[in-house]
Amino acid sequence: MIYADHAATTQLDREAFEAMLPFLLEEYGNASQPYSFSRTAKRALERAREIIAQCIGALPEEIYFTSGGTESNNWALKGSLSYEERCEIITSQIEHHSVLNVCKAAEKLRFNTRYLPVDTFGTVSAAALDKNISDKTKLVSVMMANNEVGTIEPIQELCSITHRHGVVFHTDAVQAIGHVPVDVACLNVDMLSASAHKFNGPKGIGFLYIRKGTPLRPYADGGSQEHGLRAGTENVAAIVGMAAALKKSCDTMQQRIGHLKYLEQQLLCRLREAHIDFIRNGTNQLPGNISLSFREAEGEMLLHRLDFMGICVSLGSACNSGNMQMSHVLEAMKVPKEYAIGTIRVSFGHTNTVEDADIIADAIVRILKDQ
Ligand code: PLP
């Protein structure tokens, strides 16, 4: 099997798995208990917080553990809304559904939402943000990198416009963290969402960075965990695994980026050499994230035939699988329909090889020439 869907999820790193093991077996103490048996768990939890904070240039007390990207996004958006005078969220047309569907739910509660347009490369318009932001705006939320096409957004610029208006800025960095350098101090963001399973950590764990002083309501009421903002007994093993995976991703990032860029070029060159008519979507993409739109082809047919050949890729985005309608991202980017419906996303990981890239390209060529 060739797995080339790392933007959907990644394999748990073995070292991260080994770091988790003691907390699944012997060190099962509740990190909130005061007796000495729980001390190892408590220490591991706080060490994980420090490691994660270091990886993104934050303070440990600004890292809040959550169950993943969806929860972090829900918290950042829902926790910011209030019925006081500022009651509008600005986001973009190409966000993940864990942002877009919160916005839809907010609309039902009569909050205003505005969706910033993107250009044909999927870059969010800073000019549109400047024009739309007002004294009603409570929060601006724009993703750091798009999951379908990989475009990395101009977060620093968008954040600086937002702050000029005295508004809080959140970014969904689920696809970016561990893959490209992310420093919250440089970017100046107020909140940032991340999910461990996108960087070889375990599933069902993530974090929300909340800059000190950022107003945000609690996500879950109950015990006093996570400074009383997100109650619930901590999943120490998963948190330890997440920290180990993130540290390893950051420590090896430059090598991984070089390797992934090489694989991308290999795949694209082979498709071009075979005179295949396609568009690569996006610009300034995440390393290894390749959204390909083939003219007059069907993405679903391609996905299933590749699956039959033992190759896992995604149909535009994993969350949209099975849905042959043009994705909201490609629609916002105005990708011509004759290309858009023939879109697949190949997302390489550091364990993929040049041979994998060749096999995938050759398989695509064979399928398209056969149809
Ligand atoms: N945001 C983006 C950009 C994503 O790609 C995903 C997952 O695909 C999520 C949020 C949701 O993350 P999780 O799977 O941890 O809930």
Side-chain angles (χ1 to χ4, degrees):
M1 196 243 323
I2 297 177
Y3 185 77
D5 198 17
H6 292 84
T9 198
T10 57
Q11 187 179 22
L12 180 61
D13 177 75
R14 183 155 289 279
E15 285 171 38
F17 168 69
E18 277 160 15
M20 292 169 71
L21 274 178
F23 301 97
L24 291 167
L25 297 170
E26 306 87 25
E27 300 290 351
Y28 55 85
N30 184 325
S32 298
Q33 289 296 9
Y35 41 72
S36 43
F37 174 53
S38 283
R39 232 170 264 155
T40 311
K42 171 90 182 148
R43 254 191 245 123
L45 188 76
E46 293 319 323
R47 181 71 195 122
R49 213 186 291 279
E50 282 167 16
I51 292 169
I52 291 168
Q54 249 169 29
C55 288
I56 65 161
L59 297 171
E61 60 270 32
E62 294 174 322
I63 304 297
Y64 292 79
F65 298 122
T66 67
S67 66
T70 298
E71 182 184 317
S72 297
N73 287 342
N74 268 260
W75 186 8
L77 271 70
K78 291 178 181 166
S80 296
L81 288 177
S82 70
Y83 287 96
E84 293 146 25
E85 79 254 45
R86 286 182 179 229
C87 57
E88 180 180 270
I89 293 185
I90 297 182
T91 187
S92 83
Q93 292 176 345
I94 60 160
E95 298 298 309
H96 187 264
H97 284 106
S98 54
V99 166
L100 290 178
N101 288 346
V102 174
C103 290
K104 276 196 205 145
E107 282 165 19
K108 288 198 185 125
L109 297 171
R110 307 234 179 101
F111 289 101
N112 287 336
T113 45
R114 288 173 191 258
Y115 300 89
L116 300 173
V118 294
D119 63 15
T120 53
F121 300 106
T123 306
V124 172
S125 162
L129 172 61
D130 209 12
K131 209 167 110 200
N132 279 281
I133 199 163
S134 74
D135 57 4
K136 294 236 171 357
T137 312
K138 183 87 186 181
L139 179 77
V140 174
S141 178
V142 177
M143 68 200 324
M144 190 167 293
N146 182 265
N147 47 305
E148 288 192 34
V149 298
T151 297
I152 300 173
E153 301 296 342
I155 293 301
Q156 217 169 3
E157 188 186 358
L158 297 169
C159 190
S160 120
I161 294 169
T162 303
H163 284 167
R164 239 190 286 132
H165 292 264
V167 176
V168 172
F169 189 92
H170 163 254
T171 187
D172 170 357
V174 165
Q175 290 289 337
I177 290 271
H179 300 282
V180 287
V182 172
D183 186 308
V184 290
C186 274
L187 293 167
N188 212 12
V189 295
D190 302 299
M191 290 188 279
L192 174 147
S193 301
S195 177
H197 74 100
K198 305 289 187 183
F199 51 79
N200 301 99
K203 292 173 178 56
I205 191 76
F207 66 88
L208 180 65
Y209 158 78
I210 310 173
R211 178 189 298 283
K212 252 187 175 173
T214 305
L216 193 68
R217 286 209 313 274
Y219 186 72
D221 296 310
S224 60
Q225 294 93 349
E226 303 305 293
H227 308 295
L229 292 181
R230 200 271 188 182
T233 302
E234 302 91 343
N235 187 345
V236 179
I239 289 167
V240 166
M242 169 163 68
L246 184 58
K247 176 147 177 34
K248 188 161 174 186
S249 296
C250 292
D251 288 350
T252 55
M253 190 179 287
Q254 290 313 322
Q255 286 150 255
R256 288 185 185 195
I257 291 176
H259 177 63
L260 293 171
K261 292 266 174 211
Y262 187 71
L263 297 187
E264 271 177 26
Q265 286 319 308
Q266 185 73 14
L267 179 80
L268 294 169
C269 283
R270 239 167 142 104
L271 292 174
R272 287 192 194 111
E273 275 165 18
H275 304 290
I276 299 293
D277 187 353
F278 72 97
I279 302 171
R280 180 189 182 183
N281 300 304
T283 183
N284 184 26
Q285 295 98 338
L286 285 168
N289 185 315
I290 318 162
S291 167
L292 299 165
S293 295
F294 298 99
R295 190 183 155 83
E296 308 293 358
E298 261 198 23
E300 197 167 5
M301 175 277 293
L302 266 167
L303 179 130
H304 290 304
R305 293 205 42 197
L306 287 169
D307 183 24
F308 194 66
M309 297 169 164
I311 298 168
C312 302
V313 298
S314 172
L315 184 65
S317 164
C319 304
N320 290 352
S321 285
N323 178 1
M324 266 318 288
Q325 279 173 356
M326 200 163 155
S327 88
H328 67 290
V329 176
L330 300 178
E331 203 169 339
M333 290 167 62
K334 302 191 174 61
V335 176
K337 193 153 190 201
E338 66 274 23
Y339 284 92
I341 58 162
T343 303
I344 57 167
R345 178 190 64 191
V346 176
S347 49
F348 287 123
H350 65 281
T351 49
N352 285 119
T353 61
V354 175
E355 199 193 1
D356 292 345
D358 288 344
I359 293 172
I360 295 171
D362 293 349
I364 292 171
V365 171
R366 211 174 327 138
I367 296 167
L368 291 175
K369 296 218 159 150
D370 263 15
Q371 62 168 353

